[in-house]
Amino acid sequence: NLISRKDCTVNVVFGRHVLPSVALLPLLLKLEGKEKKKVVDVGTGGGFPGLPLAILFPSVEFTLVDSVGKKLRAVSDMADELSLTNVQTHHGRAELMVDESASLHYQQYDVCVGRSVAALPKFCFWVQDLLNPDDGKLVYIIGGEVEEVVTVRLEDDVPLDSLIGDGTSDKRALILTASSVKEVAKESGEKKQRVGVPGTKRKSNSKRKNREARGGWVKRDNAEKKQRGYDDFKRFDSGTF
């Protein structure tokens, strides 16, 4: 279920998935000169754009993130088959990565890539803490209209056709700096989830705890008089007539 079965042909997979991923090559070339080179692909799905880019940039570390385990298992198998030693996967939600391991993920990535995963303000909220605050960038492939809160903060808006040159794509690559990602995230309306702290317990509601469940079984006290509802009943005696 990485892609629909009707689209599972060489031409479709290459044209719709591989080629748009490879189109980001010119936008990421500047990573070649950096000592610290890390890219996170959030919502990688079937490994796009992460896997094709990992092939093109063997010296760059790629972390491919998705919340669906079976997709990541397939992606991991593909990376092994391609002998991509610069690829690792992360099973989980992007917005929780920092809470799970701050030393590995907090402001550790030079570039975050994504491809029509969610509305861009929401996506910015998810990834805002992953990017290097100094020169980190978000490169996001998207089609259609984009929210004004995003367009006014764009560093660049590049049609994929101008990178591919075949006239088949209606997608664009939007580029935002790390600081702009945080600004857009503020407009998303999203709130950070509270992650439970080991060793803490939720306060109990004593009133609710002591309340008997409706319809619950209660042991009867045999010493109590039975409530039959007909204690004053008098038997009819036919001899009185």
Side-chain angles (χ1 to χ4, degrees), residues 4 23 33 40 48 51-52 58 71 78 91 99 111 115 119 127 135 142 174 188 197 207 209 227-228 235-236:
S4 65
V40 59
F48 301 106
L51 284 180
K71 291 183 179 180
M78 285 187 277
H91 180 206
D99 292 325
V111 175
R115 192 175 67 127
V127 306
D135 56 3
I142 194 171
L174 306 183
S188 68
V197 180
K207 292 182 179 180
K209 184 176 181 180
Q227 301 295 324
R228 299 186 182 278
R235 184 178 298 276
F236 176 74

Side-chain angles (χ1 to χ4, degrees), residues 10-167:
V10 173
N11 288 338
V12 171
V13 171
F14 185 80
R16 292 187 184 177
H17 304 286
V18 176
L19 198 56
S21 301
V22 173
L24 301 183
L25 173 65
L27 306 179
L28 274 64
L29 279 175
K30 61 182 180 179
L31 290 177
E32 286 294 309
K34 293 176 65 74
E35 292 183 4
K36 176 185 176 184
K37 297 168 286 188
K38 290 186 177 182
V39 174
V40 59
D41 176 7
V42 173
T44 189
F48 301 106
L51 284 180
L53 290 174
I55 295 172
L56 297 172
F57 293 97
S59 63
V60 176
E61 296 179 20
F62 284 81
T63 300
L64 277 54
V65 182
D66 207 284
S67 61
V68 181
K70 65 179 181 180
K71 291 183 179 180
L72 279 187
R73 287 191 292 273
V75 169
S76 183
D77 289 343
M78 285 187 277
D80 290 341
E81 287 291 326
L82 295 167
S83 300
L84 295 176
T85 58
N86 59 330
V87 172
Q88 62 180 351
T89 60
H90 178 90
H91 180 206
R93 301 189 63 83
E95 67 270 30
L96 300 179
M97 290 173 67
V98 170
D99 292 325
E100 293 166 359
S101 182
S103 62
L104 290 178
H105 304 298
Y106 182 63
Q107 298 181 348
Q108 292 297 305
Y109 296 97
D110 302 294
V111 175
C112 173
V113 294
R115 192 175 67 127
S116 301
V117 179
L120 201 42
K122 180 182 288 188
F123 189 85
C124 287
F125 177 83
W126 293 345
V127 306
Q128 59 180 320
D129 292 330
L130 301 178
L131 287 170
N132 180 337
D134 296 326
D135 56 3
K137 299 288 178 66
L138 168 62
V139 180
Y140 195 74
I141 297 176
I142 194 171
E145 297 297 322
V146 180
E147 296 87 342
E148 184 179 358
V149 66
V150 175
T151 58
V152 298
R153 294 179 171 85
L154 288 176
E155 181 179 82
D156 209 348
D157 182 347
V158 185
L160 290 189
D161 268 350
S162 68
L163 301 172
I164 301 171
D166 67 348

